[in-house]
Amino acid sequence: LAKAKSQTVGAVQIKSNPEASGEVEGVEDKEAVYVTFPDNSYLVQQLQAIKKEAYELSTTYDGVYDWIVLNLPDLKEEDSTGLEVMNAVMEQISSLNEAVRAIYKLETRYFSERSEMEKAILKMPECKTLQLALMVNDEDTWVDLGKAWRVMIRSCLILYTMISKNMERLTEPTGKSTAARNYYQ
């Protein structure tokens, strides 16, 4: 990872003497400690981008699912093979869509964890372990972001393969129309 920029968010006042009230004139009982946080603007930008793409992909999956549902024929014994294929594809779409929708939570989880760590750092600015934990959280989020992109790509490939291999059954589950069969071959 590239070396992260830091942003100073301000000074935290720490009492040097917990017994002092700070109201005695001429007595200084506080000192300033400057707290910096690693810049996370590019990470936030990427989280927003993947959330948008996940939403669009999920919407596409919903549309494909609806298309298959609308093509379901009346239930008859002789149509069972076509219906089985359609049901299998619909189950796969639902499963893939769950994985894509889980990506929505990535941004929320990151902000929740980051804000908790920043609050902890503001309470104890001298604690180097908290600063390191914040950096590790950012690095872990980058890893999760990469995994999320791969999940989306993988799900697209799986769905494409399932649809292309079963297009004949999806367009004409009863197998009676040759027009659909010729069109998709």
Side-chain angles (χ1 to χ4, degrees):
L1 292 172
K3 196 169 190 177
K5 296 180 200 172
S6 293
Q7 28 183 186
T8 301
V9 294
V12 176
Q13 300 294 323
I14 301 174
K15 287 189 176 191
S16 57
N17 181 357
E19 311 269 71
S21 66
E23 297 176 5
V24 178
E25 198 172 301
V27 177
E28 182 65 36
D29 67 334
K30 297 181 181 180
E31 62 183 60
V33 176
Y34 291 93
V35 177
T36 59
F37 297 119
D39 184 19
N40 65 342
S41 59
Y42 188 63
L43 178 57
V44 169
Q45 181 183 15
Q46 292 301 308
L47 288 168
Q48 291 168 347
I50 197 166
K51 187 174 184 176
K52 178 184 174 203
E53 294 297 326
Y55 174 79
E56 290 177 11
L57 185 58
S58 179
T59 302
T60 301
Y61 284 178
D62 288 339
V64 171
Y65 186 92
D66 292 346
W67 174 76
I68 294 170
V69 169
L70 292 172
N71 281 325
L72 284 173
D74 294 333
L75 186 58
K76 297 176 186 171
E77 287 297 321
E78 64 270 6
D79 297 341
S80 65
T81 305
L83 287 173
E84 288 175 13
V85 168
M86 292 177 102
N87 285 330
V89 172
M90 288 176 9
E91 285 178 28
Q92 186 67 41
I93 291 171
S94 294
S95 173
L96 294 172
N97 211 359
E98 277 183 41
V100 170
R101 286 184 178 152
I103 294 170
Y104 293 167
K105 298 174 187 171
L106 187 61
E107 182 184 35
T108 304
R109 188 188 75 213
Y110 171 72
F111 282 129
S112 175
E113 291 172 356
R114 172 108 180 185
S115 66
E116 289 299 317
M117 288 182 184
E118 286 180 358
K119 283 191 277 186
I121 290 170
L122 289 172
K123 289 178 183 174
M124 297 185 296
E126 66 283 344
C127 183
K128 298 293 182 198
T129 305
L130 289 172
Q131 289 281 348
L132 290 173
L134 183 66
M135 289 176 23
V136 168
N137 183 55
D138 285 0
E139 289 173 7
D140 288 347
T141 302
W142 276 111
V143 170
D144 292 343
L145 189 63
K147 288 178 183 177
W149 281 113
R150 287 188 293 278
V151 164
M152 289 177 44
I153 291 168
R154 182 177 173 268
S155 70
C156 288
L157 293 172
I158 290 170
L159 184 60
Y160 172 78
T161 301
M162 284 198 73
I163 289 176
S164 64
K165 287 181 178 178
N166 297 295
M167 185 56 83
E168 183 179 331
R169 286 290 186 185
L170 294 172
T171 56
E172 191 57 47
T174 60
K176 293 181 181 172
S177 171
T178 58
R181 202 174 308 137
N182 292 335
Y183 179 76
Y184 289 107
Q185 286 183 352

